[in-house]
Amino acid sequence: MQLTIDLRHDLDVAIAGELQVWGHVASDNEKPLDRYCLWFEMMEREIPLKPYRVQRSQELQSSSEAQRLAFVLSEIETVFHGGLSVAPYLSARAAKLGKTGRDHMLLHWGIRHLHLSPISTKRPNGLVARADELLFFRIAGDVVYFIGILPHADPSAFERKGLLEVVERNWPHLHHRLRTGYAERELNPTERRALRRGNVMHMEEIDGKLIMPTFGVSTAGSPIDATRAFDRQQLQLLDLERMLRSQPADVFPEIAEFESAHVRLKGMWEYGFDLVETLTGLERRVQIL
């Protein structure tokens, strides 16, 4: 059988199409990895629609802010529990591509934020009224971790090391622990902001432990996790291509006697890829172990 297949190219074309919808204009020297990192960063800002469990930190649970904002906190928890969209509570910058909308706190610390205004304040642009307080949280798997609430007007809110300390006390498994020891010196919020904007990765010292909340970014500002995901998926797609070339009937037994076939990548899912044989329209979901 003559099989036409280039799954890695299909992935790149699909990502380029999505970026174009977001307003991206490709440059002549742009590579598939460049496009993937841009796409990955946009997808990281979006929160997958699925039911989540919500955990509150002890510090948040006992805070006066949580009591005062109990209604909207409960409202947001209900949205997460139901697998609904929290997009109305997000920052307006979340929909902006590239550096314009870059969320340095998410890239370096894995921490997101929502505006604590009720859905009843939703405006024509689809966002709730910009709130005086922000809820900071992390997501891992199907769990949302409510860390704390800080004033929106606080110029150092997004560099507050206290948020990391809350995570470390309540959910230390969310951090990458490098070694026991001490950093050379303590950074202040202004210094953290400068390092982030310069795409410099740095460790934080908490109670004698050196931790990194995420793997940060490259010197070009691309998430390290994006590069790792790209490399992993490229290898998975290459292995899948090789398997299909040698044993196409294992996935598409209906085409075993065909003289030719054309298999394309239709999409991705949490545990693998969706394929389609274009001559017959047959579709298959392939799980990658």
Side-chain angles (χ1 to χ4, degrees), residues 35 58 63 95 109 118 166 169-170 183 186 228 233 257 286:
R35 286 186 285 273
Q58 295 179 3
S63 70
W109 284 2
V166 171
R169 283 192 294 267
N170 289 266
E186 183 68 19
R228 296 173 69 207
Q233 288 182 345
E257 304 302 322
V286 179

Side-chain angles (χ1 to χ4, degrees), residues 121-175:
T121 67
K122 187 176 176 181
R123 302 175 298 180
N125 65 357
L127 300 175
V128 298
R130 304 297 82 181
D132 293 331
E133 291 90 7
L134 302 174
L135 170 66
F136 292 88
F137 68 102
R138 283 198 65 166
I139 294 179
D142 62 352
V143 183
V144 176
Y145 302 90
F146 284 5
I147 302 168
I149 296 170
L150 291 175
H152 195 187
D154 182 350
S156 63
F158 294 89
E159 293 83 27
R160 282 279 193 96
K161 182 180 174 181
L163 294 170
L164 294 181
E165 292 170 341
V166 171
V167 174
E168 183 66 21
R169 283 192 294 267
N170 289 266
W171 312 290
H173 65 278
L174 295 178
H175 288 158

Side-chain angles (χ1 to χ4, degrees), residues 18 22 40-49 52 86 90 94-95 106 112 139:
E18 288 196 35
W22 285 326
F40 184 96
E41 192 174 337
M42 290 296 291
M43 296 303 293
E44 276 289 280
R45 294 181 212 158
E46 296 185 359
I47 297 173
L49 299 181
Y52 292 92
V86 295
L90 291 172
L106 175 60
R112 309 165 185 266
I139 294 179

Side-chain angles (χ1 to χ4, degrees), residues 11-24 39-40 42-43 46 97 266-268:
L11 176 61
D12 185 45
V13 169
I15 285 175
E18 288 196 35
L19 290 176
Q20 190 173 20
V21 171
W22 285 326
H24 176 61
W39 171 82
F40 184 96
M42 290 296 291
M43 296 303 293
E46 296 185 359
L97 190 68
K266 184 178 180 182
M268 298 184 292

Side-chain angles (χ1 to χ4, degrees), residues 2-34:
Q2 181 179 353
L3 178 65
T4 302
I5 184 171
D6 191 341
L7 302 180
R8 291 166 294 171
H9 174 71
D10 295 341
L11 176 61
D12 185 45
V13 169
I15 285 175
E18 288 196 35
L19 290 176
Q20 190 173 20
V21 171
W22 285 326
H24 176 61
V25 179
S27 62
D28 293 338
N29 60 348
E30 190 174 83
K31 299 179 177 63
L33 175 59
D34 301 326

Side-chain angles (χ1 to χ4, degrees), residues 205-221:
E205 184 253 307
I206 300 176
D207 296 332
K209 298 182 289 288
L210 288 176
I211 61 100
M212 289 188 70
T214 72
F215 287 112
V217 300
S218 69
T219 54

